[in-house]
Amino acid sequence: MLSPRQLFLQHQAQTTDFPLLLEVEKAEGVYMFGPAGQQYLDMISGIGVSNVGHRHPRVLQAIHEQLDKYLHLMVYGEIVQAPPAQLAHALAQTLPEGLDNVYFVSSGSEAVEGACKLAKRFTGRTELIAFNNAYHGSTQGSLSLNGSENFKRAFRPLLPDVRHIRHNQLEDLDQITSRTAAVILETVQGEAGVRVPTKEYLQALRQRCTEVGALLVLDEIQSGFGRTGTFWAFEHFNVVPDILTCAKGMGGGMPIGAFISRQEIMHSLKNDPMLGHITTFGGHPVSCAASLATLRVIQEEGLLAQVEAKANRFKERLVHPAVREIRNLGLMMAVEFDSFDTLKRIIDKAILKGVLTDWFLFCDNSMRIAPPLTITFPEIDTACDLVLEAIVEEVGF
C-alpha cells in the first residue's frame, strides 16, 4: 500500500517543485503532530485560518451538533437554515450600522469576485482600482486585481479596466474618478509583507471614494476576525467600507467566506438579472456553525484583549542583528531579513527544530508570524527561542 506521501506526490496536483512535505496526523491548539510523534509549533495558522487554534473544543462541538441535523440542502439563498441566518446576524452585530447584509461564499477569492460584481452592478461602472503588491486571490477575476505581474503574466488576458495605484500614496488618489466602480484595498496588505497604511491615508481614500461615487471595498480575508487586535482591522482607522470581504480566520478551520454590504447595495443582485451571484456551497450549514462558534470564542474568551501584548512579546524576544525590521498590526507580523536565501535557511532550520513559519508571496525576505490568537506567552517564548537558535546557527553571531 502506498503511503500518504507517495499518494500526495503521485496523484495530488502540485503547485511547486518543492512542496513542504510535512506529514501531519493530528493538530491541537497551536501544535501540529506528525505520524512519528514530531511536534510543530504553528506560527502561521494555516495562513491566517486557525485564529482560535486547531480543533477548538467549542468549534468542534458546533460542528458535531450540526452534523446530527443536516448537511447541504440547496443552493445559496433558497431555504431558511439557522446556521447561516444566525451567523449573518452575529456578523452584523460586530459591524457599524448599515453593514448588515451578508452573502456567504466558500472562499476568500470567491468573496472578492462577489464584491467586485456587486460594485459593478450597483454603480453601473466598469473600472476597478487596486494596489501595487496587492493580493486578493487566484481566480481570474481576483488575480486581475493582484499587484504582482509575475503571478499574472502567464494567465493574461485577464479582466479589462483594472488600474493599479501605489499603496499609501496620497498623490495617487486623484486617479479614482467618476468612472471607478470600486477601489479594493487590503486593510493591511498581507502578501506584500504586512504593510499598514496610515490613518490619514485610509481616511483620505474613504473621502475620495465618497466624492466620486466609487465604492470602497476593504479586503479583510487575512486581517479580519481578531487578527490585528480589533475584530475588524478597519476599526483601527476610523473608516467604514461600502463592502467588506472576509474568509480564512472566520471558519475556525472550515471553508467559508463572505462579502458584506448595505442592504441597498446587496439587493442589486436580485434583479436585472435575478440570481446576480450564485453559489452552491456558500453558507454551508456546518461551516456557518463553525464560524459562529469561532466568533463567540473570540468575543467571549478575551482573545482580542491579549493580541497587542502577545505581539509585543514577539517583538521583545525576536531581537538579533540579522533582524532588520518587524512590521505588524497585532498578530499579523513580518520579520525582515536581508534576503530570501537567508530567510529560507532560517525557516528550514526552524522547521527541523519544531517551528513552522513561512515567507510572503511578494516579500520573500520577510518571515510570516501569524500564530493562533490562543497562543500562550510560554508558547511564544518557546517559538522565539527556537527561531533565534535557527538564526544563530544559520547566520551566526
Side-chain angles (χ1 to χ4, degrees), residues 9 26 54 178 205 241 252 291 363:
L9 291 171
K26 186 178 179 181
H54 296 284
S178 58
L205 172 60
S291 181
C363 186

Side-chain angles (χ1 to χ4, degrees), residues 233-389:
F234 69 77
E235 296 175 53
H236 292 282
F237 302 93
N238 296 325
V239 298
V240 178
D242 297 297
I243 304 174
L244 177 69
T245 65
C246 52
K248 287 188 179 293
M250 74 182 291
M254 294 292 288
I256 187 172
F259 56 101
I260 305 170
S261 191
R262 302 190 301 274
Q263 193 170 91
E264 169 199 8
I265 295 174
M266 198 71 81
H267 277 191
S268 62
L269 294 177
K270 292 169 58 176
N271 51 68
D272 296 327
M274 68 174 182
L275 300 174
H277 193 66
I278 300 171
T279 172
T280 297
F281 293 112
H284 192 283
V286 179
S287 290
C288 286
S291 181
L292 182 58
T294 298
L295 187 154
R296 297 300 186 216
V297 167
I298 293 170
Q299 290 178 326
E300 297 170 9
E301 296 190 5
L303 298 186
L304 295 178
Q306 302 171 19
V307 167
E308 184 176 0
K310 290 177 178 179
N312 287 337
R313 179 67 70 92
F314 275 107
K315 290 192 287 186
E316 291 163 3
R317 295 297 312 279
L318 289 176
V319 176
H320 185 277
V323 174
R324 292 187 164 191
E325 180 184 22
I326 298 179
R327 297 179 298 275
N328 80 294
L329 190 60
L331 284 170
M332 190 171 178
M333 310 184 76
V335 183
E336 184 175 301
F337 295 87
D338 67 332
S339 66
F340 173 71
D341 177 68
T342 297
L343 175 60
K344 183 64 164 63
R345 289 187 287 113
I346 292 167
I347 286 174
D348 290 346
K349 181 58 65 76
I351 290 172
L352 293 176
K353 292 178 176 294
V355 179
L356 177 62
T357 63
D358 192 16
W359 62 89
F360 299 89
L361 288 178
F362 310 146
C363 186
D364 65 6
N365 69 333
S366 293
M367 176 185 290
R368 186 192 308 267
I369 299 289
L373 307 183
T374 55
I375 192 169
T376 65
F377 288 97
E379 287 166 343
I380 292 172
D381 290 340
T382 297
C384 290
D385 286 343
L386 295 174
V387 169
L388 286 168
E389 286 179 14

Side-chain angles (χ1 to χ4, degrees), residues 165-210:
I165 62 177
R166 293 175 297 169
H167 183 256
N168 211 34
Q169 297 295 313
L170 289 167
E171 56 266 36
D172 283 11
L173 295 183
D174 61 3
Q175 297 182 49
I176 304 167
T177 70
S178 58
R179 289 194 62 253
T180 308
V183 179
I184 181 167
L185 170 71
E186 298 160 90
T187 309
V188 177
Q189 283 196 315
E191 297 311 311
V194 186
R195 307 294 173 172
V196 183
T198 64
K199 183 179 290 189
E200 176 193 21
Y201 176 77
L202 207 52
Q203 291 179 353
L205 172 60
R206 169 69 276 179
Q207 182 178 349
R208 180 63 178 172
C209 288
T210 301

Side-chain angles (χ1 to χ4, degrees), residues 52 55-71 82-84 86-87 250-252 254 284-297:
V52 297
R55 301 179 67 249
H56 191 285
R58 290 176 65 177
V59 174
L60 292 184
Q61 180 182 357
I63 291 170
H64 291 156
E65 289 176 358
Q66 184 56 41
L67 289 176
D68 288 336
K69 296 174 182 176
Y70 54 84
L71 303 181
Q86 292 168 350
L87 176 58
M250 74 182 291
M254 294 292 288
H284 192 283
V286 179
S287 290
C288 286
S291 181
L292 182 58
T294 298
L295 187 154
R296 297 300 186 216
V297 167

